[in-house]
Amino acid sequence: MDLYMMNCELLATCSALGYLEGGTYHKEPDCLESVKDLIRYLRHEDDTRDVRQQLGAAQILQSDLLPILTQHRQDKPLFDAVIRLMVNLTQPALLCFGSVPKDPSVRHHFLQVLTYLQAYKEAFASEKAFGVLSETLYELLQLGWEDRQEEDNLLIERILLLVRNILHVPANPEQEKRIDDDASVHDRLLWAIHLSGMDDLLLFLSSSSAEQQWSLHVLEIVSLMFRDQNPEQLAGVGQGRLAQERSTDVAELEVLRQREMAEKRARALQRGNRHSRFGGSYIVQGLKSIGERDVVFHKGLHNLQNYSSDLGKQPRRVPKRRQAAQELSVHRRSVLNVRLFLRDFCSEFLENCYNPLMGAVKDHLLRERAQQHDETYYMWAMAFFMAFNRAAAFRPSFVSETLSVRTFHFVEQNLTNYYEMMLTDRKEAASWARRMHLALKAYQELLATVNEMDACPDEAVRESSRIIKNNIFYMMEYRELFLALFRKFDERYHPRSFLRDLVETTHLFLKMLERFCRNRGNLMVQNKRKKRKKKKKVQDQGVAFSHSPEELEALWPALEEQLLQCAQDPELSVDTIVPFDAASEVPVEEQRVEAMVKIQDCLRTGQAPQALALLRSAREVWPEGNVFGSPVISPGEEMQLLKQILSAPLPRQQEPVEGDAEEEEEEEEEEELQVVQVSEKEFSFLDYLKRFACSTIVRAYALLLRSYRQNSAHTNHCITKMLHRLAHDLGMEALLFQLSLFCLFNQLLSDPAAAAYKELVTFAKYIIGKFFALAAVNQKAFVELLFWKNTAVVREMTQGYGSLDSGSSSHRAPAWSPEEEAQLQELYLAHKDVEGQDVVETILAHLKVVPRTRKQVINHLVRMGLADSVKDFQRKGTQIVLWTEDQELELQRLFEEFRDSDDVLGRIMKNITAKRSRARVVDKLLALGLVSERRQLYKKRRKKPAPSCTNGAESQKDSWQDDPEEEEHLSEGESEDEESEDGLSAGQVQGGSSLSAKNLGQSLRQEGLSAPLLWLQSSLIRAANDREEDGCSQAIPLVPLTEENEEAMENEQFQHLLRKLGIRPPSSGQETFWRIPAKLSSTQLRKVAASLSQRENEEEREEEPEPNPGQQRPREQSPREQSPREQSPREQSPREQSPREQSPREQSPREQSPREQHRAGALRALLSARKRKAGLVSAEEAAPGEEDWKSVPKKRQLLDSDEEDDNEGDRQAVSGTPRIHKKKRIQIEDDDEDD
């Protein structure tokens, strides 16, 4: 439908409404349908609001809708429809367009709609229209809840919305051209509300507990009624002119008179001008022009004082985004009868309605029943009515609802939230700044009311004030609020009125705080600070145990004798000694140096048994490289190793030295963990005042001081008082030595009305005098005028340059000597190209003269030009983001070169020039289309042919098979937290899982989960064997192949056991099975598996026979004391075993089910493997157990065998055949697939 047709339809619809003849409106028969059609048209209007504009141009509301409303009120359906249409037509323009449009064409439509709304507001400024609305609203409120229908509630809400929309229309001062004490359109609207009795209905809705659902609507209407009013002026209406107001007016008149007289004297001193030809030309000596000559002045001498080099220059255009914010709130004085009505309304509202209404609104806000930003009306009402109450007859009981610590907290939270949103939401920063100003006004009135309570004659009121102030001054958030607001003040978003209110509120807060501290003597306040936990620095030669070589040589003979006795002691236990810290953030593999330091500490303190036990336990945890000795070490070699550890210069950990405190605070975020610590301290007002001594706050005060002529006397007093506190009380006059401030002082002193600003003039003379006194001693003070200064510069200016460095030299790092710089350069050039090591850590290990921190070394390398940036030494990540064209070509070449190899990705990672993570390389290969899926990059392993079995079975064929573990390896590359998670798990296994695994295993066996526990134990032992044979470790998934094991893996208690043992749960969305982490070594896996042995077997086993006659037992152990490796189910008597626990040898093959046969065979294979590891039995002794295992069906062996490969390897070792390392994964082929 085009615009022309729409106009025709609208014209026809409006013609069908009716017509006005004389003063009577005659409606048409289809008037109701026409009103509904107009509502429908408005619902489907376009973005330019064309229907709304056409109806406004036709003045439908003034000529048709208002007469229908006033003359046909008895027609209820028509009345309801007209109210609906009026609510839609009077909707604010901001709601119609969303915001003020920036596009000029759309902005034109916005302004046009705003013009029509102003015409609607003028049409409603009559007692007749509001009289009908008041009568209808009164009748609806007379109905009880049981008689009120849903349509009645909708009509109440629409009437309130219509009143809100009419009051919301902004005034047009250019068109109205009204002055103070003259009746504007808004004043006439308020008077119509008063005459119609609508104000009494609003008071009733505010005070009634049964009508709390309309509280937000009522509060919004009340706030719009008092939009242009000043509460202090409104409170003094009708009481005559107060003495303070008269004195203020007299002072203003005196200022104007003095300025006028000064202008007259200046004109009288000017010489008379005949004409321009006799004006003359003069040379101003000492003032250079563009060239080297003096300036030529072509005017009379009387105009010389107005000369400026800026005359004739074009002013610099300020970009719109940098322009200062404009003032939006304008206060005007209404006509006297309207002000009297508003004063009486405020008094009655405070007495009967304020507390219940504010309580209901606060409840709606807390329960989130209000719309967005409705809390701004709450804070406006708080600021306005508390100021009115304070200026009229102060009654604290009238505002008791908002006079509490909770209200302070609510306003402070919103103020902080608005400030944060202003920083993040830049597009709506101006709106957030206005809301921030409202919250600041509410906070100011709360403080002013509490301050007024101190002067109340009632003791209970003063006690309440003391309690509130005690809570406010105690909390750190309230004290830090003003500092944060000053530091983040932005002139682009905050108008000058915000800065004025902030200065006045800060002045009031400081005055209250100073008085409170003076009366209390000592004040304890809350203090919060962020404690930074940093990694300890590793430095050479620990401080705690510094011994000379002679002392260590003399200490060794006594230690050697104790160690030899402990080595022969059979009661020396290693199981209870844990050589690493499971709760540490450092991985277990990196704790070997700390374990070596622990052994050395035990030796130097004479704790020989602990040292020996630690050495043997560390040997089991870290067998790689024989750092703690080989597994078959002799006692003599063990003593020699301990002697070397005793005298070795091991690097120790110690807390940072005091001299590095400043550098420690600047450590990288990855080495910090900030913890907020709450404590109490004694409050010092001067220390708190020093927080305001910074250039940012002084600039804000200087900005407000520029408009000293427009400021009130109180505002100028607040500015002067704060600057006086900084200059006199803190002794920091030099903080105000700034050229812009001195220019302002010069303007103030030369002002003809300077006598009206006596306080400012006195302070300006005091600061200028201090400056010239300092300039006589320090000639550089004139140069310092050009810069804003901080406290450190102020101290140097007054006490001498260099005093700051000499006074704080103990807290700074020592300077680098030429020899240290040469050594640093030599070490850096020697180790910068070495791969696999951190060059900074290497330099720190070789710098022995002066202890340095990592950050000191990095900063000095950058300062010397050896490195470009600090980012070159980051220890995490490669910092390579984009791929260059050469790098992409190199990646394609490497892929084509290694695409037929077993490990494509591994070869690429070894040969690529720009080192990146595996995940980034995989993503780039996928993006280039070289591979279609990640599976193509998995490592491939060829299965070697198995040796011939004893029964002549066929050997398996060679086959290529994708390694399912490679997918886990790729996913680990994408996760940065994988290594730290596995390392933590590895540390937890030895620390706590072995202690609680037996208890969990006992409860799981009682639930009938013995078979899954046995499967878990065999899986752990098999993983340990694999890691010993292969020499490398990867995360191994636990794949349950039986229904019983699957059910166990879903059991919460079984999963809790897995976590205790350090087994990692599957990652969300990427993995399916639990995995044995790669960080667990073979020794740790065996200890975990040993902790799963059955407790029942330990209690019922008999004494174990000697496995080797030539070997002596250390001591007799009870069955409870025997370790799981020293027992086997074979050693139990048949009577002591349950049918389930009996050995498979003692049951006939007919009585054993396939599952029992498999379980018995796995148990025998497990025990054989344990004894072979312990050296208790030979391969021939374990062979009989394998015969029964071979009787299990072939498919069952393939599915569930855990020790098949180990048994085959043992058979190969017996026959002399070299063992072939084969993959432990067996491809499962189901016989049913052939059907």
Side-chain angles (χ1 to χ4, degrees):
M1 183 181 297
D2 57 9
L3 188 61
Y4 180 77
M5 293 297 296
M6 175 65 74
N7 287 333
C8 295
E9 292 183 1
L10 280 176
L11 181 60
T13 305
C14 295
S15 301
L17 289 174
Y19 59 94
L20 184 64
E21 184 178 3
T24 305
Y25 189 86
H26 302 277
K27 65 176 182 175
E28 297 291 344
D30 52 352
C31 180
L32 178 59
E33 287 72 15
S34 299
V35 173
K36 292 181 179 179
D37 288 340
L38 291 177
I39 295 174
R40 192 177 302 111
Y41 291 148
L42 285 171
R43 189 181 301 124
H44 297 287
E45 62 183 352
D46 59 7
D47 294 338
T48 61
R49 309 300 178 211
D50 54 342
V51 177
R52 195 176 303 270
Q53 292 189 50
Q54 294 175 33
L55 293 179
Q59 297 185 356
I60 296 299
L61 187 139
Q62 296 94 319
S63 59
D64 292 281
L65 298 183
L66 274 178
I68 293 176
L69 182 72
T70 56
Q71 299 181 20
H72 297 278
R73 175 172 166 266
Q74 66 279 0
D75 191 349
K76 192 174 186 307
L78 180 60
F79 184 83
D80 294 347
V82 170
I83 291 293
R84 286 180 57 194
L85 181 57
M86 284 184 170
V87 170
N88 200 336
L89 282 176
T90 58
Q91 187 177 357
L94 285 174
L95 293 181
C96 295
F97 290 88
S99 61
V100 179
K102 296 182 180 179
D103 186 18
S105 60
V106 184
R107 189 179 180 88
H108 168 72
H109 296 297
F110 174 82
L111 296 176
Q112 196 66 34
V113 171
L114 191 60
T115 304
Y116 296 140
L117 287 175
Q118 291 170 351
Y120 297 160
K121 183 175 183 178
E122 188 172 1
F124 265 96
S126 65
E127 180 186 355
K128 201 171 186 181
F130 272 99
V132 174
L133 295 177
S134 301
E135 291 178 5
T136 306
L137 185 60
Y138 175 77
E139 293 175 359
L140 293 173
L141 294 177
Q142 288 292 104
L143 298 176
W145 280 104
E146 63 279 359
D147 300 331
R148 193 179 298 178
Q149 303 297 324
E150 184 66 25
E151 294 80 5
D152 299 332
N153 288 328
L154 286 175
L155 186 56
I156 293 175
E157 186 174 9
R158 286 168 183 160
I159 292 175
L160 294 176
L161 286 176
L162 179 60
V163 176
R164 189 278 311 267
N165 291 345
I166 296 300
L167 289 170
H168 189 274
V169 177
N172 190 358
E174 290 78 9
Q175 184 179 0
E176 294 185 19
K177 297 180 180 179
R178 302 290 183 179
I179 61 173
D180 287 347
D181 296 327
D182 195 2
S184 62
V185 176
H186 193 73
D187 292 341
R188 290 192 283 122
L189 193 66
L190 292 177
W191 190 248
I193 290 175
H194 173 58
L195 294 179
S196 63
M198 180 67 73
D199 55 338
D200 296 330
L201 295 177
L202 293 176
L203 292 173
F204 169 75
L205 290 173
S206 303
S207 59
S208 175
S209 59
E211 307 292 345
Q212 288 187 357
Q213 58 177 329
W214 318 116
S215 56
L216 283 169
H217 293 292
V218 173
L219 185 61
E220 191 173 359
I221 292 173
V222 171
S223 66
L224 293 172
M225 289 172 59
F226 294 90
R227 181 170 52 190
D228 300 333
Q229 305 298 325
N230 189 334
E232 287 83 0
Q233 293 180 359
L234 204 61
V237 173
Q239 300 178 1
R241 293 177 57 82
L242 300 178
Q244 183 179 1
E245 294 181 358
R246 289 195 298 269
S247 61
T248 303
D249 293 343
V250 169
E252 292 178 359
L253 290 174
E254 182 64 24
V255 168
L256 294 176
R257 190 180 69 85
Q258 289 179 359
R259 286 178 181 164
E260 185 179 2
M261 293 178 62
E263 292 177 1
K264 288 182 179 180
R265 287 194 299 268
R267 286 195 299 268
L269 294 176
Q270 293 179 358
R271 297 180 180 180
N273 296 331
R274 296 174 60 189
H275 43 73
S276 60
R277 287 177 298 176
F278 298 96
S281 297
Y282 304 92
I283 294 177
V284 183
Q285 293 182 357
L287 185 61
K288 299 297 182 183
S289 61
I290 298 177
E292 294 297 329
R293 298 180 179 180
D294 294 334
V295 173
V296 179
F297 189 66
H298 296 284
K299 294 183 179 181
L301 290 177
H302 58 277
N303 293 322
L304 181 61
Q305 60 181 357
N306 297 327
Y307 174 77
S308 174
S309 300
D310 296 331
L311 293 176
K313 294 181 180 179
Q314 291 292 335
R316 177 178 294 180
R317 180 179 175 273
V318 181
K320 190 174 182 180
R321 64 178 182 274
R322 295 182 182 177
Q323 293 179 0
Q326 300 296 326
E327 297 286 348
L328 296 179
S329 59
V330 179
H331 294 288
R332 66 175 300 273
R333 196 164 56 243
S334 301
V335 68
L336 180 59
N337 56 349
V338 175
R339 282 186 288 154
L340 290 173
F341 147 65
L342 293 178
R343 185 203 62 184
D344 297 339
F345 182 89
C346 281
S347 301
E348 193 170 353
F349 183 85
L350 274 173
E351 186 175 358
N352 302 317
C353 309
Y354 180 82
N355 288 332
L357 179 65
M358 298 297 280
V361 171
K362 183 69 173 296
D363 183 69
H364 288 324
L365 294 175
L366 295 179
R367 298 177 182 272
E368 297 182 355
R369 296 177 182 173
Q371 296 181 359
Q372 193 177 13
H373 308 313
D374 276 349
E375 71 276 358
T376 55
Y377 296 106
Y378 178 82
M379 287 185 287
W380 174 90
M382 188 189 312
F384 186 88
F385 289 105
M386 292 183 79
F388 182 87
N389 179 50
R390 185 170 48 85
F394 181 67
R395 299 283 296 275
S397 59
F398 286 174
V399 292
S400 59
E401 177 63 33
T402 55
L403 204 58
S404 62
V405 180
R406 291 194 303 270
T407 309
F408 274 94
H409 176 70
F410 176 79
V411 176
E412 187 267 338
Q413 288 292 103
N414 281 279
L415 189 57
T416 307
N417 181 43
Y418 295 154
Y419 155 70
E420 293 175 353
M421 290 302 300
M422 188 188 70
L423 297 181
T424 55
D425 189 5
R426 287 295 185 182
K427 292 184 178 180
E428 299 295 332
S431 300
W432 290 111
R434 288 194 294 270
R435 299 185 187 105
M436 192 175 171
H437 193 185
L438 277 175
L440 179 63
K441 287 289 292 182
Y443 197 83
Q444 180 183 12
E445 284 305 324
L446 283 172
L447 288 176
T449 303
V450 172
N451 185 46
E452 193 75 19
M453 291 169 63
D454 288 338
C456 188
D458 192 357
E459 179 64 28
V461 175
R462 293 198 301 271
E463 180 65 19
S464 301
S465 172
R466 188 191 63 79
I467 294 174
I468 292 175
K469 288 191 296 183
N470 198 8
N471 284 275
I472 294 171
F473 297 149
Y474 176 79
M475 298 298 294
M476 184 178 179
E477 290 78 7
Y478 301 113
R479 302 194 306 272
E480 298 292 326
L481 178 62
F482 299 103
L483 292 167
L485 293 179
F486 270 118
R487 286 170 183 159
K488 300 303 179 182
F489 171 76
D490 196 339
E491 193 179 2
R492 297 173 299 172
Y493 307 118
H494 296 114
R496 198 65 59 90
S497 59
F498 175 85
L499 182 59
R500 182 183 64 249
D501 291 332
L502 179 58
V503 168
E504 293 179 358
T505 310
T506 306
H507 171 77
L508 177 61
F509 184 82
L510 289 176
K511 184 174 68 174
M512 294 172 60
L513 181 58
E514 185 179 18
R515 189 188 310 124
F516 192 77
C517 294
R518 190 186 305 117
N519 296 336
R520 290 288 298 272
N522 58 340
L523 176 65
M524 300 301 295
V525 296
Q526 185 189 66
N527 182 38
K528 292 182 181 180
R529 65 185 183 92
K530 293 181 179 179
K531 181 181 179 182
R532 299 179 178 179
K533 296 183 179 179
K534 303 178 181 63
K535 293 183 179 179
K536 298 179 180 179
K537 302 296 175 181
V538 178
Q539 298 180 355
D540 293 339
Q541 198 62 29
V543 180
F545 301 97
S546 57
H547 298 276
S548 63
E550 294 78 10
E551 294 177 352
L552 296 176
E553 193 68 26
L555 184 63
W556 173 246
L559 282 174
E560 185 178 13
E561 183 178 354
Q562 296 181 19
L563 290 171
L564 290 174
Q565 295 177 359
C566 295
Q568 299 175 0
D569 186 6
E571 298 184 359
L572 182 64
S573 176
V574 185
D575 298 335
T576 59
I577 302 298
V578 180
F580 57 86
D581 186 5
S584 175
E585 297 178 358
V586 183
V588 178
E589 286 74 8
E590 300 179 10
Q591 296 190 31
R592 281 185 281 192
V593 178
E594 297 181 6
M596 192 76 73
V597 172
K598 290 181 182 178
I599 297 173
Q600 189 183 68
D601 293 344
C602 292
L603 290 173
R604 293 185 178 184
T605 54
Q607 302 176 6
Q610 289 83 349
L612 186 59
L614 270 174
L615 178 66
R616 294 179 176 179
S617 179
R619 186 183 305 150
E620 294 182 3
V621 176
W622 297 291
E624 301 86 2
N626 296 333
V627 178
F628 298 94
S630 63
V632 291
I633 190 173
S634 63
E637 295 175 348
E638 197 170 35
M639 295 300 108
Q640 190 65 25
L641 177 60
L642 288 171
K643 184 177 180 181
Q644 295 176 1
I645 294 175
L646 175 65
S647 58
L650 300 177
R652 293 179 175 274
Q653 293 179 347
Q654 68 178 28
E655 294 298 328
V657 295
E658 184 179 356
D660 298 334
E662 183 175 346
E663 285 76 16
E664 286 298 320
E665 293 180 357
E666 299 174 355
E667 282 292 330
E668 295 83 15
E669 293 182 2
E670 61 198 27
E671 297 183 4
E672 295 179 353
L673 179 61
Q674 295 185 354
V675 179
V676 178
Q677 288 189 344
V678 180
S679 60
E680 285 189 349
K681 68 174 184 179
E682 186 173 353
F683 180 76
S684 173
F685 181 76
L686 286 180
D687 292 342
Y688 176 69
L689 194 60
K690 290 177 183 178
R691 304 284 302 279
F692 291 87
C694 63
S695 59
T696 307
I697 298 179
V698 176
R699 280 190 204 179
Y701 276 88
L703 178 63
L704 187 60
L705 188 60
R706 292 178 190 172
S707 57
Y708 70 93
R709 294 182 179 179
Q710 290 79 29
N711 295 339
S712 64
H714 178 66
T715 303
N716 287 334
H717 168 73
C718 295
I719 298 172
T720 310
K721 182 63 177 178
M722 172 57 77
L723 297 180
H724 182 265
R725 288 181 188 273
L726 299 178
H728 181 267
D729 297 351
L730 298 181
M732 295 185 181
E733 300 90 353
L735 193 65
L736 306 180
F737 294 167
Q738 218 281 332
L739 193 58
S740 60
L741 264 177
F742 278 23
C743 291
L744 187 59
F745 289 159
N746 182 41
Q747 180 184 354
L748 175 65
L749 295 175
S750 60
D751 193 342
Y757 312 105
K758 294 181 180 180
E759 195 175 28
L760 275 175
V761 170
T762 304
F763 178 74
K765 291 179 179 179
Y766 168 76
I767 294 297
I768 295 174
K770 289 290 185 180
F771 170 75
F772 284 109
L774 178 63
V777 181
N778 182 10
Q779 294 294 328
K780 296 179 182 178
F782 293 99
V783 183
E784 296 283 1
L785 281 175
L786 302 175
F787 309 100
W788 292 99
K789 291 162 281 295
N790 55 19
T791 54
V793 178
V794 168
R795 178 179 174 184
E796 286 192 330
M797 285 181 61
T798 55
Q799 300 181 9
Y801 295 99
S803 60
L804 184 63
D805 296 335
S806 61
S808 60
S809 59
S810 60
H811 298 284
R812 290 198 170 189
W816 290 78
S817 63
E819 293 80 7
E820 288 180 317
E821 290 184 348
Q823 183 186 10
L824 178 64
Q825 183 175 2
E826 180 183 356
L827 290 173
Y828 177 72
L829 295 177
H831 297 89
K832 69 174 183 176
D833 297 328
V834 179
E835 297 183 358
Q837 72 176 6
D838 190 353
V839 61
V840 181
E841 294 295 337
T842 306
I843 293 174
L844 288 173
H846 290 80
L847 289 176
K848 303 180 180 297
V849 181
V850 179
R852 301 285 181 181
T853 63
R854 178 183 178 88
K855 192 168 186 66
Q856 290 175 359
V857 172
I858 293 174
N859 289 336
H860 205 69
L861 286 173
V862 175
R863 195 176 297 115
M864 292 175 64
L866 298 176
D868 296 333
S869 173
V870 178
K871 297 181 179 179
D872 298 341
F873 301 97
Q874 290 186 355
R875 288 178 285 190
K876 288 188 178 180
T878 59
Q879 297 298 323
I880 301 177
V881 180
L882 300 177
W883 289 76
T884 63
E885 184 177 357
D886 296 338
Q887 293 171 354
E888 291 181 354
L889 294 175
E890 180 191 13
L891 181 63
Q892 294 178 6
R893 179 182 59 79
L894 292 175
F895 178 77
E896 296 296 336
E897 182 180 352
F898 300 115
R899 68 183 307 167
D900 297 330
S901 63
D902 297 349
D903 188 7
V904 182
L905 186 59
R907 296 290 185 88
I908 293 176
M909 295 298 297
K910 289 181 181 178
N911 293 276
I912 195 169
T913 304
K915 300 300 180 183
R916 300 175 185 267
S917 64
R918 298 173 68 93
R920 302 288 81 78
V921 174
V922 172
D923 293 340
K924 195 61 181 178
L925 289 173
L926 291 171
L928 293 175
L930 299 177
V931 293
S932 58
E933 57 183 1
R934 296 175 183 268
R935 186 177 297 275
Q936 299 178 13
L937 299 173
Y938 296 165
K939 184 186 294 184
K940 302 173 184 176
R941 295 189 180 174
R942 182 184 297 275
K943 275 199 169 182
K944 301 297 179 66
S948 300
C949 301
T950 56
N951 57 358
E954 296 181 357
S955 62
Q956 295 182 354
K957 298 181 180 180
D958 293 345
S959 62
W960 289 96
Q961 181 180 5
D962 292 343
D963 187 4
E965 297 176 4
E966 189 66 22
E967 181 177 2
E968 168 63 22
H969 192 58
L970 289 176
S971 65
E972 287 179 1
E974 297 177 3
S975 175
E976 296 180 358
D977 299 333
E978 187 73 24
E979 295 181 7
S980 62
E981 183 177 313
D982 290 342
L984 188 58
S985 300
Q988 291 173 349
V989 169
Q990 296 297 325
S993 61
S994 61
L995 300 177
S996 58
K998 292 185 178 181
N999 298 331
L1000 288 173
Q1002 175 76 10
S1003 60
L1004 289 172
R1005 290 187 186 93
Q1006 293 176 0
E1007 295 181 5
L1009 297 178
S1010 300
L1013 287 175
L1014 183 61
W1015 163 72
L1016 175 61
Q1017 190 178 22
S1018 62
S1019 300
L1020 293 172
I1021 294 178
R1022 184 179 61 182
N1025 295 336
D1026 291 345
R1027 294 182 179 180
E1028 279 188 351
E1029 296 170 0
D1030 299 340
C1032 60
S1033 59
Q1034 294 179 353
I1036 301 176
L1038 291 175
V1039 184
L1041 299 178
T1042 63
E1043 184 178 356
E1044 186 176 7
N1045 292 343
E1046 287 184 7
E1047 294 177 355
M1049 294 298 288
E1050 297 176 357
N1051 189 310
E1052 293 184 0
Q1053 194 171 0
F1054 195 83
Q1055 292 179 357
H1056 183 57
L1057 173 65
L1058 293 177
R1059 289 190 178 91
K1060 282 286 185 181
L1061 298 179
I1063 299 177
R1064 180 171 57 80
S1067 301
S1068 58
Q1070 297 182 359
E1071 299 174 353
T1072 305
F1073 304 109
W1074 290 67
R1075 280 172 163 75
I1076 302 175
K1079 296 297 182 181
L1080 293 179
S1081 63
S1082 58
T1083 306
Q1084 294 170 343
L1085 290 175
R1086 284 198 175 87
K1087 287 188 177 182
V1088 171
S1091 66
L1092 293 176
S1093 297
Q1094 298 184 11
R1095 184 179 292 270
E1096 296 92 342
N1097 296 339
E1098 294 178 0
E1099 295 177 353
E1100 298 175 359
R1101 285 184 187 137
E1102 296 178 351
E1103 190 176 292
E1104 180 185 9
E1106 295 290 338
N1108 190 355
Q1111 184 178 0
Q1112 295 182 359
R1113 299 173 61 94
R1115 64 183 179 91
E1116 295 296 326
Q1117 294 180 341
S1118 63
R1120 184 179 297 273
E1121 295 173 344
Q1122 293 178 4
S1123 64
R1125 295 188 179 182
E1126 296 173 350
Q1127 297 179 357
S1128 67
R1130 297 183 184 180
E1131 298 168 3
Q1132 297 180 2
S1133 62
R1135 295 181 181 179
E1136 294 175 346
Q1137 294 179 346
S1138 62
R1140 179 178 292 272
E1141 295 173 349
Q1142 282 185 348
S1143 173
R1145 285 179 175 269
E1146 299 176 5
Q1147 293 183 3
S1148 62
R1150 295 180 182 178
E1151 296 176 356
Q1152 294 176 346
S1153 64
R1155 176 175 295 181
E1156 293 174 349
Q1157 294 176 9
H1158 161 65
R1159 179 178 178 276
L1163 181 60
R1164 287 195 297 274
L1166 173 63
L1167 295 174
S1168 300
R1170 287 182 183 173
K1171 292 188 177 182
R1172 286 198 303 272
K1173 292 294 181 183
L1176 299 179
V1177 296
S1178 61
E1180 291 81 5
E1181 295 177 1
E1186 300 172 3
E1187 298 176 358
D1188 295 336
W1189 174 242
K1190 288 187 290 184
S1191 64
V1192 181
K1194 181 66 177 177
K1195 182 178 179 180
R1196 175 65 66 181
Q1197 293 183 24
L1198 291 177
L1199 286 175
D1200 295 329
S1201 174
D1202 290 337
E1203 300 296 333
E1204 180 185 5
D1205 296 334
D1206 291 336
N1207 296 338
E1208 290 178 0
D1210 293 335
R1211 287 195 293 272
Q1212 293 172 10
V1214 172
S1215 61
T1217 306
R1219 180 169 183 175
I1220 300 175
H1221 297 283
K1222 59 182 290 186
K1223 182 95 173 104
K1224 289 297 186 295
R1225 297 288 179 265
I1226 300 176
Q1227 188 171 3
I1228 303 171
E1229 297 179 0
D1230 199 338
D1231 298 335
D1232 298 336
E1233 294 179 358
D1234 300 334
D1235 296 338

Coordinates of all heavy atoms in Angstrom, one line a residue, residues 181 184 578 932 1058:
D181 N 8.6 33.0 36.9 CA 7.3 33.5 37.5 C 6.3 33.8 36.4 O 5.3 34.5 36.7 CB 7.6 34.8 38.3 CG 8.5 34.6 39.5 OD1 8.4 33.5 40.0 OD2 9.3 35.5 39.8
S184 N 4.0 28.7 32.1 CA 4.3 27.9 30.9 C 3.3 26.9 30.6 O 2.3 26.7 31.4 CB 5.7 27.3 31.1 OG 5.7 26.4 32.1
V578 N 56.8 -39.9 50.8 CA 56.5 -39.3 49.5 C 57.5 -38.2 49.2 O 57.5 -37.2 49.9 CB 55.0 -38.7 49.5 CG1 54.7 -38.1 48.1 CG2 54.0 -39.8 49.9
S932 N 41.2 -33.8 4.8 CA 39.8 -33.5 4.9 C 39.3 -33.7 6.3 O 38.3 -33.2 6.7 CB 39.0 -34.4 3.9 OG 39.3 -35.8 4.2
L1058 N 38.2 -43.7 40.7 CA 39.0 -43.4 39.5 C 39.7 -42.0 39.7 O 40.9 -41.8 39.5 CB 38.2 -43.4 38.2 CG 37.7 -44.8 37.8 CD1 36.9 -44.6 36.5 CD2 38.8 -45.8 37.5

